[in-house]
Structures are given as C-alpha cells and as structure tokens.
C-alpha cells in the first residue's frame, strides 16, 4: 500500500515540476500571455460560475479543466475508472457502475469499456482529418482540458482533495487526452452501444454465464430489450413574430441526470476575437453543448429517431459463430477481454471473456438458429465536438446550419436555435441510419422473430439490407441533411422529445423517413402542455400579461408548475366521487374517498412546494394503468388494455385528445381507492405537499412527473415511502436557460438545478438548488462589463 501511494504521489509531483504558478486575486485585470504553453484566467461570478478567458484553444481547455476539477474532480475521476474498465479492480465485480443513465454490474461494464479501449478504434478515429476526425482547434482544447485537470490534481494532491468521496483514494490518478476523447465517444453512443453495453458484454453463443451472472439454463438466451435509456428535454426557439420586442428568444430545459457524469456544468469560454460562448457543458467535455453567444442561442432535445438497427443473423447449422450473407459463410470476429477483479480477501484475480462481432457490429444475443447483431450509427462518431465548437462560433442560424451540414454529428438530439434577427429553427440533422421506408419494409424480420417489438430488426442474411448512403452525407450509412426533418419559422418551433410532426402545429412536418419518427399519432402530455403554454402566451390567455413573449413572461411560464393530466381529467374524477363516495380497492377493502376528493377539489392543479393535493394526485394518476397483464401463452406481448380515457385520440385534434376519464373503467375507481388506502395505512396526510415529499438532499424540490403531464418535470429514485417522502430526485430539469438576443447583447437567466459542484464541502453544492426550490433564476453575466461589475468576482490567473 505504501509503495502504491508513493508511486501515485510521485506521478503527481512529476506533473507539478511543470506546473508553473496559480494566483488567486480580486484584481480583475485581464491576463497577459506568458511564454509558457498555457495561459488562462478563471473569473468566477456569483454562484461560482466560471468565465474562462484565454489566448488560444489549448489555454482555454487548460483553464476549463482546472476550474472543473476545482468543483467536480471526484465525479470525473470515478468515471475515468469506468472508462478504463477498472471498476472491478477497485470496487468489486458485483457492485453497480457509476453510469447515471443505466448502471450495470462493474464486471460487465469493465468488459465493455476494455473491449473499446483495446479495439484500436480511438486511434483510428484520431488519425482521421476533419470533418470525420477532430479539428486542430478541438484537439488543442482537449489536450489543454486534460492538462488543466492534472494541474489542479498536482497542485492539491490526492490526499488533500476537499471532496471526501475521493480524497486519498488509489483510483484517483492523472488523466490523458485519450480519456476525454473516450468520454466524448461514449456520450455520442449513449442511444446505441453505450445503452446496450450489458447486452454486448453478456452475449454467449452457448448460453453460458455472462460476466457477473449465473449460467443460463438453455442455449436460447433471454434476449435483452434494446431500448437504451436516454434523458429527455424541452426546447423552444421563439422568433420575431412571437416576442414583443421582435428579438429571438430561446428556452433550454434539458432533463438529464442530477448525479454523475451526465450532469451539466455552467461555464463561459472566451478567446477574444475568436470565441465567446456561455451555457451548459456536460461533465468531462470541454465544450458548451447548450448555450448562446452574442447573437445566437441553441438547445437540444432528445430525438425520436432510431440510432441503431439490429440485424438478424442466419447461423450456419451446427456452428453458432458463423453466419450466412448472400449464401456465403462468414465467421464471427472474436475479441478476448481480460478484466482484473478484486476478490473478497482483497487479492486480485483476472476474469477472461470472449466477445463476438459481425460485419454489422457486436453480437448481442443468440436465439435458436439465429443471432442478433447491433449496428450503431454513432459507433465511430467522434466529430460532435467539431460541431459544437463551430456552433459556438456561429453568428446566426445560417452559420449554425453551415456547421451542421459540415459535420452532421449530433448523436441523438434535435437542434432548436434562434438569433438576433428573430429566426426560429428546428432540425434533426443528426446521425440516423440510412434505412428508407421501402428498405425497412423489404428487409424487416417478421414480427414473431424479432427480439424486441418496435425496434428496426433487419435481415442480415443479404447484403441488400445494408444501410444506404446519400450524396450529401458526410459518410456512408447515414442520411444526409437533405433527408432530415427541418423547419425555419418567424413565430416558433418547439419540441419535448416527440417526433418532429408537431414542431409547430400550424405547419406539421411530414414526409420524412419513418426512422426519424411517426406522424399523426398520440402526443404525450408533456408535449401537449408545452404547445398549450406557447399558444396561451401568444394569445395572452395565461395570466402573464399581454400577448407575446418577454424574458420575464418566458421565465414565469416555464416555472408555472402546471399539471395537464389533472387539468383534463380532474372534473370527471370529482364527478365519480360525488356518485360513489365509497369505492373498492384492489384488495377488496371498501374505501371512503370523500376527504380525498375534497382535497383534490381545492387543489389548483399545480406542483409547487405548498400545493396540497399534488402528491395524492400523482399517486392516483400513476395507478391508472393498473398492473400490466402478462402475455398469453405463445405471445411475446401482453393483450391490449382498454384505455381509461373518456375521449380517445383523434389525429385531427392531436393537441386536445385524448382527454377526460371514463368513470366506468374499473382502473379509475380502483386507482383512487388504492391511493387513498396507501395514505391512510401509513397515516400520511391527504394534503401532502411536494415540499414535504420531494427533495434533493435537504432541499425541497417542486414539480411533478412526466407521466402526469408536467413541463419542467422531475423524477425521483423510487416510490413514495412509508414516511411520506420519495427517494431523492435523480433526473429532471437540469440546466434551465431563458435567453433574449437583443441588438445590445444577450440577456439570459439560468438555473443549474443541482448547483455547480457535486462536492458536499463546496459552497456551490446546493446554492442554485435552493434558488430552483424557490422559483428564482440567476442573472447571467456575459459581457465584460457585467462580469467586472459582479461584487462576488474572484479571479485565478493560471500559467502552465
């Protein structure tokens, strides 16, 4: 142990020999370039928000990496252990990984990440010139970011880190630029390979034990459901016809995890005369993904487009590792992966695993005479950083579109943008497999042979089913910008993770390939609420002043805490209460619901901290679907359940249907009785408020869930407990940004809902969370005068 510690400290000391000087001063004078490799100023304003100013991209990355490490080193250090495939060595093979979107056992995680590291893919991607490979500016930015992180670690020392979660830990080590590139690649693959990494690591041709699992009982493995978890978002781009001042305005409301590596960090990055951008930057990336500059603002929402397809492989009889394409046998590729694992006695053992791949991608399952392979459109996408950097430097929507056409790299998101001219823009110029509707129909595997309904499963036995190509695409196999759904408007575009169809209901988008999403289908409640909020604001019917958007009304509308599910169904529930004040719960108990109904009648259908009845409504509404029926014998899907809506969906009225409750549907009365029974058995008040039931640490959190039809939604880590509290909020509105682009410069209001730092000892660990709890915003400081005027200004001059 002593030797390991000495070696670790030796590495840090070696870094320190080249470190240079750090000076923390109140003097806000700009730094002069030094003769050293890196030179940056970190200016922190209220709530600790860093504004990095540097002479070039390398220095900008250096300052950003240092500032980020000051606030969140332990989160990134833990994630580096994950990306290096070393979690089993340090934390044991059976514990869950720190992936905030889809945690899996450490051993499976290590197998996947080691296979990527050892495949040579990153080296090949970095050898490509732009646009497929990184631009020189991005390379310097990444190099500087890693160096800045290491500089802070060297200056501070592992044993003196302020965050107790990693202080003195053997797994905290310097990082490399490759670590940051792998993190960016992992982010880009989140809706494909990254989300299916457990299936990739677990697939066995003989049904044997996967990493960390018991042996299967037969040769046909339980097929994983390839539906990777992905965060959500709301986004509005408001044009000159929607705003009172005729300026462009934008609302960003990404719904990302509140813990771990997929959190946003708030930052401003400036190279005078070259780049000046502020906004939200995902941990471990030296880029602003959602933000604004002086004349352009943009955001992203998670797209409905498919990012991968599966291929059904026709196996050679008697050989589960050879498959047929055009009648010719092709052996599967093999990769041997060895993972060091910690035993219970503290010693280390090695676990070996064989992974299999095909011409389409990794094999993720075997079933009888077939195997299934994953074809991920983002498998080699390292170019998204190029696009985000180019978007940050664009001056208007036209410039942003040029960046999109050049790189075509958005991994799983739509883009919504606006500029000072008041142009509102939406697009899904992103990485989408080139599968036309005709090819999907021609190559689709019969429904009964699919491993997952709703997923594109293509026939892998013929090369005719390979992905196609477009002349305007940056690479073969994906659609080019000419096929992507896009819209430019003077009023608005909006998205809340539905397909592009109703981006603006006045001009529905149609005609795009089905792999981008559906049309004329039911929209979820959050999407309907979003469009209703915009419509009411444009007509002045929402109580927030005259028609049209101002920055103040945009903020107010965003945090209105409306519950659309309640607005469109509560009247029917209250009518049921009047007719049947005593109803039967699932266990047969008769439950008097009079008091509960009085509570719900008084409730204003909002989810503020003090709204009595909001939690009772959630518990009722979440029970409406009842227990999911089991599939019938021989069927993979359960039988359809009759909808409990009174008025069904009508594609001619997509914004107002379905609505109402069918009072005669058994689920309706049963859901209410069960919810009331749950409260009474635990002696919980029926008036329980979100401020008492919903928290992030010690801070009460307002809001309600997506399923109820809430806009800035939150999600907790589990059901309501016996003590009347949900587990902590773990996902939801994360980086809220409302910005108006005026001729005099941007006016922005932001909230980083979980605050700047994950370190519990940091003064900025919960300060913005308290603001979010209170419905307040941060006034963003963007211009030099605004930054200099901040009384809380602190400046760190960094030379290296």
């Amino acid at each position: 142990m002593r030797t390991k510690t000495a070696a670790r400290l030796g590495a840090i000391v070696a870094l320190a020999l080249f470190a240079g000087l750090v000076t923390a001063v109140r003097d806000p004078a700009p730094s002069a370039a030094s003769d050293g490799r890196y030179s940056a100023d970190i200016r922190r304003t209220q709530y600790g928000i860093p504004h990095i100013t540097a002479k070039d991209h390398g220095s900008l990355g250096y300052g950003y990496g240092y500032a980020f490490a000051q606030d969140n080193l332990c989160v990134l250090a833990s994630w580096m252990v994950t990306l290096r495939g070393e979690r089993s060595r340090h934390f044991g093979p059976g514990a869950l990984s720190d992936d905030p979107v889809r945690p899996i056992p450490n051993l499976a995680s290590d197998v996947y990440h080691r296979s990527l590291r050892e495949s040579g893919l990153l080296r090949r991607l970095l050898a490509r010139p732009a646009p497929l490979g990184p631009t020189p500016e991005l390379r310097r930015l990444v190099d500087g970011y890693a160096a800045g992180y290491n500089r802070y670690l060297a200056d501070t020392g592992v044993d003196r880190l302020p965050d107790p979660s990693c202080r003195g830990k053997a797994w905290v080590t310097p990082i490399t630029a490759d670590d940051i590139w792998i993190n960016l690649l992992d982010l880009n693959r989140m809706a494909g390979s990254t989300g299916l990494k457990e299936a990739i690591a677990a697939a066995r041709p003989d049904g044997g034990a996967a990493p960390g699992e018991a042996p299967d009982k037969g040769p046909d493995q339980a097929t994983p459901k390839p539906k990777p978890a992905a965060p959500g978002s709301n986004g509005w781009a408001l044009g000159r016809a929607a705003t009172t001042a005729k300026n462009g305005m934008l609302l960003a409301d990404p719904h990302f995890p509140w813990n771990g590596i997929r959190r946003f960090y708030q930052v401003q990055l400036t190279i005078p005369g070259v780049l000046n951008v502020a906004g939200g930057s995902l941990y471990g990336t030296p880029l602003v993904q959602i933000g604004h500059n002086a004349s352009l603002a943009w955001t992203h929402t998670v797209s409905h487009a498919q990012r991968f397809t599966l291929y059904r492989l026709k196996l050679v009889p008697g050989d589960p590792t050879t498959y047929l394409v055009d009648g010719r046998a092709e052996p599967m590729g093999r990769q041997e992966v060895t993972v060091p694992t910690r035993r219970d006695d503290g010693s280390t053992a090695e676990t070996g695993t064989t992974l299999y791949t095909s011409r389409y991608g990794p094999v993720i399952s075997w079933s009888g005479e077939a195997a299934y392979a994953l074809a991920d459109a983002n498998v080699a996408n390292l170019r998204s950083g190029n696009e985000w950097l180019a978007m940050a430097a664009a001056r208007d929507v036209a410039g942003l579109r040029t960046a999109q056409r050049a790189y075509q790299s958005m991994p799983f998101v739509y883009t919504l943008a606006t500029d000072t001219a008041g142009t509102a823009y939406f697009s899904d110029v992103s990485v989408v497999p080139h599968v036309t509707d005709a090819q999907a129909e021609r190559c689709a595997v019969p429904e009964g042979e699919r491993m997952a309904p709703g997923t594109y499963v293509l026939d892998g036995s013929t090369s005719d089913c390979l992905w196609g190509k477009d002349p305007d695409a940056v690479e073969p196999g994906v659609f080019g910008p000419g096929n992507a759904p896009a819209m430019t408007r003077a009023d608005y575009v909006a998205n809340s993770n539905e397909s592009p169809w109703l981006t603006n209901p006045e001009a529905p988008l149609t005609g795009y390939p089905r792999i981008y999403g559906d049309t004329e289908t039911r929209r979820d409640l959050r999407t309907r609420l979003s469009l209703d909020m915009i419509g009411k604001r444009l007509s002045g019917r929402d109580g927030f002043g005259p028609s049209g958007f101002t920055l103040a009304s945009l903020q107010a509308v965003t945090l209105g805490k409306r519950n659309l599910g309640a607005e469109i169904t509560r009247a029917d529930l209250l009518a049921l209460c009047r007719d049947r004040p005593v109803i039967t719960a699932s266990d047969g108990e008769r439950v008097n619901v009079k008091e509960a109904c009085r509570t719900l009648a008084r409730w204003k259908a909002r989810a503020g901290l003090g709204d009595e009845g909001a939690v009772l409504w959630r518990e009722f509404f979440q029970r409406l679907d009842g227990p999911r029926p089991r599939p019938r014998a021989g069927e993979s899907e359960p039988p359809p359940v009759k909808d409990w809506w009174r008025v069904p969906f009508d594609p001619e009225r997509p914004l107002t249907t379905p609505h109402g409750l069918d009072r005669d549907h058994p689920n309706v009365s049963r859901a209410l009785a069960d919810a009331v029974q749950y409260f009474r058995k635990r002696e919980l008040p029926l008036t329980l408020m979100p401020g008492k039931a919903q928290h992030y640490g010690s801070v009460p959190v307002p809001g309600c869930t997506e399923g109820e039809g809430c806009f800035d939604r939150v999600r907790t880590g589990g059901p309501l407990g016996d003590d009347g509290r949900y587990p902590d909020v773990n996902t939801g509105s994360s980086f809220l940004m409302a910005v108006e682009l005026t001729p005099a410069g941007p006016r922005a209001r932001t909230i980083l809902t979980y605050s700047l730092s994950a370190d519990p000892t940091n003064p900025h660990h919960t300060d913005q969370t308290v603001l979010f709890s209170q419905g307040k915003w941060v006034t963003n400081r963007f211009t030099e005068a605004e930054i200099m005027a901040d009384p809380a200004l602190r400046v760190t001059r960094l030379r290296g």
Side-chain angles (χ1 to χ4, degrees):
M1 173 65 78
R2 197 170 172 183
T3 302
K4 290 181 180 179
T5 302
R8 185 172 73 250
L9 291 176
I12 294 172
V13 169
L15 282 168
L17 292 176
F18 302 95
L21 297 173
V22 173
T23 308
V25 297
R26 176 63 181 86
D27 176 15
S31 64
S34 72
D35 295 331
R37 181 181 179 190
Y38 296 123
S39 173
D41 283 356
I42 304 169
R43 300 185 291 178
R44 290 188 183 265
T45 53
Q46 191 178 23
Y47 303 103
I49 298 169
H51 307 255
I52 317 297
T53 304
K55 59 191 176 77
D56 54 39
H57 286 86
S59 294
L60 189 66
Y62 190 68
Y64 186 11
Y66 190 96
F68 179 83
Q70 287 179 308
D71 295 322
N72 294 292
L73 182 141
C74 290
V75 177
L76 189 54
S78 175
W79 187 242
M80 291 299 104
V81 177
T82 300
L83 295 182
R84 293 168 180 169
E86 296 178 346
R87 296 201 70 82
S88 297
R89 169 187 288 167
H90 293 287
F91 306 110
L96 291 180
S97 71
D98 60 345
D99 186 333
V101 177
R102 179 168 286 185
I104 64 173
N106 283 336
L107 184 53
S109 173
D110 289 344
V111 167
Y112 170 79
H113 287 294
R114 279 183 173 260
S115 73
L116 175 58
R117 287 268 183 173
E118 296 168 5
S119 69
L121 175 63
L122 180 63
R123 175 178 48 80
R124 294 192 296 273
L125 296 180
L126 290 175
R128 291 174 163 183
L132 295 179
T135 63
E137 294 81 6
L138 182 61
R139 293 174 191 268
R140 291 193 289 269
L141 191 66
V142 168
D143 287 346
Y145 186 87
Y149 174 99
N150 291 338
R151 169 68 181 281
Y152 173 76
L153 181 59
D155 287 353
T156 307
V158 175
D159 295 327
R160 296 189 304 276
L161 290 171
D163 189 340
S165 67
C166 73
R167 183 190 305 136
K169 301 297 184 182
W171 45 266
V172 179
T173 64
I175 65 174
T176 67
D178 280 1
D179 291 323
I180 302 305
W181 290 119
I182 285 283
N183 180 49
L184 184 61
L185 182 61
D186 187 76
L187 169 67
N188 291 343
R189 293 158 60 141
M190 190 166 70
S193 303
T194 298
L196 293 166
K197 55 184 176 288
E198 187 171 21
I200 294 171
R204 298 291 177 274
D206 59 358
E213 294 182 351
D216 208 59
K217 293 184 178 180
D220 291 353
Q221 293 171 269
T223 52
K225 299 297 184 184
K227 295 181 180 179
S233 307
N234 299 311
W236 296 351
L238 305 172
R240 55 189 174 274
T243 63
T244 58
K246 310 305 179 187
N247 300 317
M249 297 177 67
L250 183 116
L251 173 67
D253 180 19
H255 299 166
F256 269 55
W258 281 31
N259 301 294
I261 197 65
R262 299 302 178 222
R263 283 173 39 135
F264 282 96
Y265 186 74
Q266 188 170 358
V267 68
Q268 182 173 0
L269 303 175
T270 304
I271 302 173
V274 176
L275 181 72
N276 193 11
V277 60
S281 170
L282 289 167
Y283 278 24
T285 68
L287 302 149
V288 170
Q289 279 87 17
I290 291 175
H292 70 89
N293 56 34
S295 55
L296 173 72
W298 74 93
T299 188
H300 299 296
T301 60
V302 174
S303 163
H304 256 220
Q306 297 270 345
R307 304 298 162 179
F308 64 90
T309 68
L310 300 180
Y311 279 94
R312 185 181 186 273
L313 308 181
K314 183 179 180 181
L315 299 176
V316 170
D319 185 354
T321 61
T322 304
Y323 59 100
L324 297 170
V325 180
D326 298 333
R328 292 187 293 272
E330 291 190 9
M332 293 178 182
R334 301 187 184 203
Q335 182 185 14
E336 304 296 331
V337 180
T338 301
V339 176
T341 60
R342 189 187 69 192
R343 292 190 175 117
D344 291 340
D345 63 2
S347 63
T348 301
E350 290 193 343
T351 301
T353 300
T354 302
L355 303 184
Y356 295 85
T357 189
S358 70
R359 64 158 60 189
Y360 307 106
V363 179
I364 64 172
S365 182
W366 276 261
S367 181
E369 298 178 353
Y372 293 87
L374 170 68
D376 183 357
N378 282 298
V379 71
N381 178 12
L382 199 63
R383 61 189 186 274
S384 63
N386 295 339
E387 186 166 334
W388 277 314
L389 196 56
M391 288 166 63
R395 296 185 176 183
D396 51 25
V397 164
L400 180 142
R401 295 181 67 180
T402 298
Q404 288 196 317
R405 288 192 297 270
Y407 298 110
Q408 302 171 29
S409 64
M410 290 297 94
F412 52 84
V413 292
Y414 301 122
T415 300
L416 299 91
T418 189
D419 55 22
T420 50
T423 302
Y425 172 68
F426 165 90
S427 78
D428 195 3
V429 178
S430 60
V431 184
V432 179
H434 193 294
V435 180
T436 64
D437 295 350
Q439 185 185 28
E441 185 174 350
R442 183 179 71 251
C443 293
V445 169
E447 191 74 36
E449 299 178 27
R450 297 187 185 186
M451 63 178 293
T455 300
Y456 274 62
V457 184
L458 307 180
D459 183 0
S461 68
T462 170
S463 58
D464 184 51
C465 294
L466 288 167
W467 295 348
K469 56 185 178 180
D470 275 347
D472 63 339
V474 73
E475 62 180 347
V478 296
F479 281 112
N483 269 309
M487 173 179 285
T488 301
R489 302 274 301 181
D491 51 0
Y492 72 90
V493 292
N495 185 267
S496 293
N497 309 126
E498 288 280 14
S499 75
W501 177 41
L502 295 183
T503 296
N504 186 306
E506 295 298 318
L509 275 168
T510 59
Y512 45 81
R514 282 198 302 271
I515 198 167
Y516 281 96
D518 50 19
T519 61
E520 299 186 344
T521 57
R522 190 165 92 180
R523 304 292 91 173
D524 67 25
L525 292 178
R526 179 160 59 92
T527 291
R528 288 170 56 185
L529 176 59
S530 170
L531 295 171
D532 186 69
M533 290 161 63
I534 294 172
K536 283 186 167 61
R537 178 83 300 268
L538 294 181
S539 64
R541 294 181 293 113
D542 58 3
F544 293 118
S547 62
F549 281 93
T550 64
L551 186 57
S553 65
L554 177 58
Q555 294 172 252
V557 169
T558 300
L559 298 185
K561 307 301 178 189
R562 287 175 57 187
N563 185 314
L564 184 64
E567 291 179 14
I568 63 177
T569 62
R570 183 173 53 163
D572 286 325
L573 182 67
L574 296 179
L576 182 149
C577 291
R578 290 191 294 270
D579 294 342
R580 285 175 271 171
V582 179
I583 51 182
T584 305
S586 295
D587 62 1
E589 179 185 352
R590 299 283 287 169
V591 178
N592 189 314
V593 297
K594 283 184 179 180
E595 183 184 353
C597 291
R598 284 194 293 268
T599 297
L600 294 176
R602 292 191 301 267
W603 177 49
K604 297 178 180 179
R606 297 290 189 274
L609 292 179
D611 282 312
E612 297 181 349
V615 177
L616 175 61
W617 178 268
R618 180 187 305 183
E619 293 303 306
F620 155 71
F621 205 80
Q622 290 180 339
R623 288 169 166 81
L624 271 174
D625 287 328
R628 184 173 171 81
R630 296 182 177 180
R632 300 185 184 101
E635 297 183 359
S636 61
E637 287 293 293
V641 178
K642 180 180 180 295
D643 235 344
W644 40 259
W645 293 102
R646 175 168 51 82
V647 178
F649 171 69
D650 179 353
E652 298 298 320
R653 297 183 295 151
L655 301 185
T656 57
T657 60
H659 67 81
L661 286 175
D662 178 358
R663 286 180 275 161
D664 294 326
H665 195 293
N667 281 17
V668 175
S669 57
R670 184 165 56 231
L672 180 59
D674 287 353
V676 174
Q677 183 189 63
Y678 186 91
F679 274 67
R680 286 185 177 155
K681 284 186 175 180
R682 290 156 182 79
E683 298 182 348
L684 302 177
L686 296 170
T687 55
L688 185 62
M689 303 173 291
K692 296 293 185 183
Q694 196 163 261
H695 295 77
Y696 185 65
S698 61
V699 181
V701 176
C704 48
T705 64
E706 179 168 17
E708 297 169 80
C710 298
F711 185 68
D712 58 323
R713 57 92 165 170
V714 294
R715 182 182 298 164
T716 63
L720 185 67
D722 292 348
D723 60 352
R725 286 185 60 147
Y726 295 100
D728 267 12
V729 171
N730 60 12
T731 310
S733 293
S734 45
F735 175 64
L736 284 159
M737 180 180 75
V739 58
E740 180 179 16
L741 299 167
T742 77
R747 299 173 57 226
R749 305 292 182 265
T750 59
I751 315 173
L752 192 60
T753 57
Y754 34 67
S755 302
L756 194 72
S757 175
D759 175 3
T761 69
N762 192 296
H764 306 297
H765 179 58
T766 60
D767 52 357
Q768 288 199 57
T769 311
V770 172
L771 285 185
F772 179 61
S773 177
Q774 298 170 347
K776 297 179 180 178
W777 299 69
V778 176
T779 297
N780 193 46
R781 296 177 181 271
F782 182 80
T783 67
E784 191 69 15
E786 291 167 342
I787 295 169
M788 299 279 285
D790 190 336
L793 182 64
R794 292 177 294 121
V795 181
T796 299
R797 290 177 167 177
L798 194 61
R799 305 290 181 268

